[in-house]
Amino acid sequence: MRSTVKFADLVALPKHDRADALQSLFPFGGLMERDGRHMPNADRNKLIRTAIKEAVKAGTIPEGIKVSVRSPHHGSVTVEIQAVPFLIPNPENVRWQADNPHSVAAYDAPFEAKEWRTDAAQALLDILETIASQWRYDKSDSMTDYFDTNYYLHVQYDYELERAHKAWILSVPRSVTIKPKAIMAKPVRVVSRRAEARTEAQEEARTELRTEVRATVNGPAVAETSAPPFTTGAAPLRIEPYSEKSIIVKGETLAHKDRIKSAISGLAPFWHRRSVGWIFPTSRESEVRASLADLLSGSDTPSAGPDDGPGNGKPDIDERTSAEESTDAAPPPEVFGNQSKLFAIADRIEARAQEVLSRDRLTNTPRRVSIAASVEADAQNQITLARSLRAIGEAQQDGTAGLLAKLSTAKQAELFRSLIRRACYKADSGLSYSEQLDRKGRKASESDLIHIDFPKDDDGHRLRAMGILTTGQLRQAAARFVELSSEAPKADPIKAALRDLVGRKIPGFFRTPADLARRVLDLLDLQPGHSVLEPSAGAGDIADAMAETIGKDGVTVLEINDTLCGLLGAKGYTVAGRDFFDHEGLYDRIGMNPPFEGLADTDHVRRAFGMLKPGGRLVAIMSESPFFRSDRKAEEFRAWLDSVGGTSERLPAGSFQESGTGVATRLVVVDA
């Protein structure tokens, strides 16, 4: 169906009027009976892509967008917008949220900052959702049958694209007003090469007169100060600053296009039509200059020809704009959906994953432990993906990537990882559960990869775009992917063991808080060369504090519980015995947090005192009970403590609150 309503008109309509207008153009389920209620994902997605292309030709969708239509799962369609010719976030909203990080824009922001997206960005979502719903029926009812639909639809912007737009808005000085005019604004003129190839005098005069440049991407107006070009003269090429992070090679570029594109080995520069030039990162400027030195100096001047470009080199000029708009520049191309190379993608993925791993998380309940472990495992998985992408990028530079030579996105790499995981699962399907667990996480072998079959849905289209056309080629590419893939990082055994303790009831065990363990260490007056013991060591919190002074080899630990013994072993301690009362030995210092139940701490302290060398010291954390109870055992302990000259200090209330108990405690110090 060919629409006659233009995108600008739809953007200007209120939301409800826009919905009515779109339904009249693209009725919900209007093409379902014609094309079939139930059809393969690939066929339906192809129809959606065709309808979107027709809407672009008719002007209902603006030119310059890039849309992916895929089915990540059977019965679902995801329409992802990967490039747009306008800003997605509302600049007022982005700036307000940056100033008010703890407020909710929908309730607290002024009217102009309440909406997250610009009118054009929201209108594009509405249009694509309506177009993609023409083959859909939905009789779902949350009270009876929520799943009565032939496919679920998700229309979204690429997360990295939205994030890049937001970062660009925040990089613009607050003194500059960004006014998103959407697609209705006068289009930017695309300057021809001949207009740019001026004489030295004209270029110098133009540089002196132009003190400000209006940077627009079909709308957002930003005042910037233009810098003079790096080089002048009659050279066939010149280098100019393009943004804070990029430079642009301009001039007579057609005859030298291949040379410019290979100026930096393995890095394909970006062609920008509006600025008519090839863009490189500023960090690689010296390499570009070295590669194009003769062209920048004026030798090897090419003959005049048509405009250069990534296609057939034909000029692309919009005559509707005035001459003074030829100086318009655009923000860096990476902000507006241009595909990054593997190294940049890997850096971005790993930086985001490391940020996730560095965050502090509450792990005081089993549920929070499970969530934290899941989040961190996903972050480690992303780090593995990033390192694999770097390895593939290096292989592409070396020419050893094989059938992975055209892999250029993280989604393509994720596709290979998914296919390999499924192949391993098929290979192990005949084994017992315990055998499957033993083989889980292994590196795929040749015997696993024979279970890979060529997919028939959108994944197959993605592989064909990489030049992989057959199952045999796919298995070869998967084998090369396995060779270049990084091993998954191993989980921290100490962190895993500590989290395994959360919610587990171990009689008499409550972890010693870090500040209290530090207080025990201060009272011990520990010196290098001392022999040291922590009986009933538990998680080894006091032992950890003592090991900072004399090392783990100098600390003897005892523990009766198997789980806690495993944790101590993971920390690097050798458990010298299980039952404290069966252990023999003399020590210069003993630091302890014994169990409190039934005044057991009194027996542990008196036993530990008998294991001190002359001049030794014992510091113990005890419950308050032995110091106020009137039963015989408590009275005998108080009498014994006085007889050996021991002292006690009441600890603040709630000292063990973070360990899950509110018991009142004391610090006891006894010298031999």
Side-chain angles (χ1 to χ4, degrees):
M1 180 180 295
R2 181 61 60 87
S3 164
T4 57
V5 179
K6 300 301 180 184
F7 181 70
D9 299 327
L10 290 171
V11 172
L13 289 174
K15 186 173 182 179
H16 295 294
D17 293 342
R18 184 192 303 151
D20 293 340
L22 288 172
Q23 279 301 313
S24 66
L25 293 171
F26 313 105
F28 186 95
L31 302 179
M32 180 178 62
E33 296 302 333
R34 187 198 74 179
D35 297 320
R37 176 176 296 226
H38 300 288
M39 65 180 77
N41 292 338
D43 294 344
R44 180 179 57 241
N45 295 347
K46 185 176 180 180
L47 291 172
I48 294 174
R49 293 188 194 101
T50 302
I52 292 173
K53 290 178 181 177
E54 290 181 357
V56 172
K57 292 178 182 178
T60 304
I61 295 177
E63 293 185 0
I65 73 163
K66 181 180 178 182
V67 179
S68 165
V69 182
R70 57 191 176 86
S71 292
H73 308 285
H74 180 73
S76 70
V77 176
T78 297
V79 179
E80 185 176 76
I81 306 164
Q82 298 173 338
V84 290
F86 47 72
L87 278 178
I88 299 172
N90 175 9
E92 296 295 334
N93 178 280
V94 172
R95 289 177 169 178
W96 186 88
Q97 288 194 358
D99 295 335
N100 304 273
H102 303 295
S103 301
V104 180
Y107 298 107
D108 305 325
F111 176 78
E112 64 275 7
K114 284 187 180 295
E115 296 296 332
W116 157 242
R117 293 190 178 94
T118 60
D119 292 340
Q122 186 58 51
L124 182 57
L125 287 177
D126 296 341
I127 295 167
L128 290 173
E129 182 173 0
T130 310
I131 291 175
S133 296
Q134 293 179 97
W135 295 270
R136 188 179 179 211
Y137 79 86
D138 192 352
K139 298 179 182 178
S140 296
D141 183 349
S142 59
M143 300 298 292
T144 57
D145 184 3
Y146 182 72
F147 305 100
D148 191 8
T149 181
N150 56 341
Y151 62 91
Y152 295 101
L153 176 64
H154 307 277
V155 182
Q156 62 196 29
Y157 284 97
D158 180 81
Y159 171 76
E160 292 298 334
L161 179 62
E162 284 190 311
R163 184 177 176 183
H165 280 221
K166 179 180 177 181
W168 179 78
I169 290 170
L170 294 176
S171 69
V172 176
R174 294 300 182 96
S175 58
V176 176
T177 301
I178 303 177
K179 297 180 179 179
K181 304 174 185 177
I183 202 70
M184 301 94 73
K186 183 181 290 186
V188 180
R189 181 183 177 189
V190 181
V191 187
S192 70
R193 179 183 55 77
R194 289 189 178 87
E196 287 292 330
R198 301 177 180 178
T199 62
E200 177 180 358
Q202 288 175 321
E203 187 63 28
E204 290 176 350
R206 178 170 173 258
T207 302
E208 291 176 1
L209 290 173
R210 186 180 65 184
T211 57
E212 288 189 344
V213 176
R214 181 162 54 86
T216 64
V217 180
N218 276 332
V222 183
E224 297 179 354
T225 301
S226 67
F230 291 146
T231 62
T232 59
L237 300 179
R238 63 181 181 279
I239 297 180
E240 296 180 5
Y242 185 74
S243 71
E244 291 183 0
K245 297 182 179 180
S246 56
I247 58 173
I248 184 168
V249 177
K250 304 178 73 172
E252 304 284 344
T253 58
L254 177 59
H256 306 288
K257 180 166 68 173
D258 292 338
R259 181 171 172 184
I260 294 171
K261 291 177 68 173
S262 62
I264 301 177
S265 176
L267 176 64
F270 173 77
W271 167 258
H272 202 278
R273 293 197 311 160
R274 290 190 179 93
S275 299
V276 190
W278 295 92
I279 296 173
F280 293 88
T282 303
S283 60
R284 314 295 287 273
E285 180 191 343
S286 59
E287 298 172 64
V288 176
R289 286 186 173 278
S291 180
L292 307 176
D294 55 340
L295 298 176
L296 292 170
S297 64
S299 60
D300 196 18
T301 303
S303 59
D307 293 320
D308 189 11
N312 56 15
K314 295 181 180 180
D316 189 358
I317 305 174
D318 192 333
E319 299 296 344
R320 293 174 292 177
T321 54
S322 58
E324 51 270 16
E325 284 185 282
S326 63
T327 59
D328 286 356
E334 60 270 16
V335 172
F336 295 97
N338 298 301
Q339 191 180 46
S340 300
K341 291 289 114 178
L342 290 182
F343 296 115
I345 295 173
D347 291 343
R348 186 168 63 247
I349 291 174
E350 184 160 4
R352 190 164 61 242
Q354 294 291 359
E355 179 186 355
V356 170
L357 291 175
S358 65
R359 294 175 191 162
D360 292 329
R361 291 180 177 81
L362 284 175
T363 54
N364 56 346
T365 66
R367 180 175 179 275
R368 286 173 173 166
V369 166
S370 176
I371 292 172
S374 176
V375 170
E376 291 176 5
D378 183 65
Q380 294 287 11
N381 184 51
Q382 290 298 301
I383 291 175
T384 304
L385 172 63
R387 293 173 181 173
S388 299
L389 288 172
R390 286 199 195 93
I392 294 170
E394 292 171 357
Q396 289 175 346
Q397 284 185 338
D398 299 339
T400 59
L403 288 168
L404 300 177
K406 292 185 178 181
L407 189 148
S408 59
T409 67
K411 289 183 179 178
Q412 291 171 336
E414 286 282 18
L415 171 57
F416 273 101
R417 298 212 301 175
S418 175
L419 292 171
I420 292 168
R421 280 196 302 269
R422 278 182 270 173
C424 291
Y425 176 78
K426 289 181 181 179
D428 295 347
S429 58
L431 303 177
S432 66
Y433 180 68
S434 59
E435 290 174 326
Q436 290 181 24
L437 286 180
D438 292 339
R439 291 166 60 85
K440 189 175 181 179
R442 71 185 187 281
K443 200 162 187 175
S445 63
E446 186 176 347
S447 60
D448 296 320
L449 299 182
I450 63 174
H451 295 279
I452 293 181
D453 294 318
F454 202 93
K456 297 179 181 179
D457 53 9
D458 284 354
D459 291 340
H461 291 298
R462 193 169 287 119
L463 290 169
R464 282 188 281 270
M466 296 170 58
I468 300 172
L469 307 177
T470 66
T471 300
Q473 290 179 333
L474 176 57
R475 291 173 181 173
Q476 291 180 30
R480 186 61 179 142
F481 188 91
V482 170
E483 292 175 2
L484 296 172
S485 295
S486 297
E487 294 285 349
K490 297 187 180 298
D492 185 344
I494 298 176
K495 180 183 288 187
L498 287 172
R499 288 180 172 176
D500 188 49
L501 295 177
V502 176
R504 178 174 294 192
K505 299 297 183 182
I506 298 177
F509 170 68
F510 292 98
R511 290 194 63 185
T512 307
D515 56 345
L516 192 50
R518 179 64 57 183
R519 175 74 174 137
V520 170
L521 180 65
D522 293 341
L523 292 173
L524 280 173
D525 188 25
L526 188 61
Q527 302 297 325
H530 278 163
S531 56
V532 178
L533 170 69
E534 184 188 2
S536 304
D541 298 299
I542 295 175
D544 290 341
M546 295 188 294
E548 293 179 7
T549 301
I550 62 173
K552 291 182 179 179
D553 292 339
V555 180
T556 300
V557 296
L558 307 173
E559 177 53 53
I560 196 170
N561 183 271
D562 290 335
T563 300
L564 297 175
C565 283
L567 171 58
L568 293 168
K571 284 188 170 185
Y573 296 105
T574 300
V575 180
R578 308 294 293 272
D579 192 338
F580 173 39
F581 291 91
D582 292 338
H583 183 70
E584 299 293 337
L586 295 176
Y587 298 92
D588 296 303
R589 297 289 186 268
I590 300 177
M592 60 191 303
N593 175 18
F596 298 164
E597 289 85 349
L599 297 183
D601 47 349
T602 61
D603 296 330
H604 280 250
V605 169
R606 296 182 72 167
R607 166 64 177 158
F609 179 74
M611 301 174 70
L612 284 177
K613 293 180 179 179
R617 171 171 289 188
L618 159 69
V619 178
I621 300 170
M622 298 185 65
S623 69
E624 185 69 16
S625 298
F627 296 90
F628 69 83
R629 285 175 53 167
S630 57
D631 56 282
R632 179 179 176 182
K633 191 171 186 178
E635 290 178 348
E636 286 181 351
F637 176 78
R638 291 197 294 270
W640 172 82
L641 187 63
D642 289 339
S643 68
V644 296
T647 61
S648 67
E649 169 191 343
R650 179 176 293 180
L651 292 171
S655 293
F656 273 80
Q657 197 69 44
E658 67 181 70
S659 300
T661 180
V663 64
T665 52
R666 285 191 181 225
L667 269 178
V668 173
V669 181
V670 186
D671 292 326

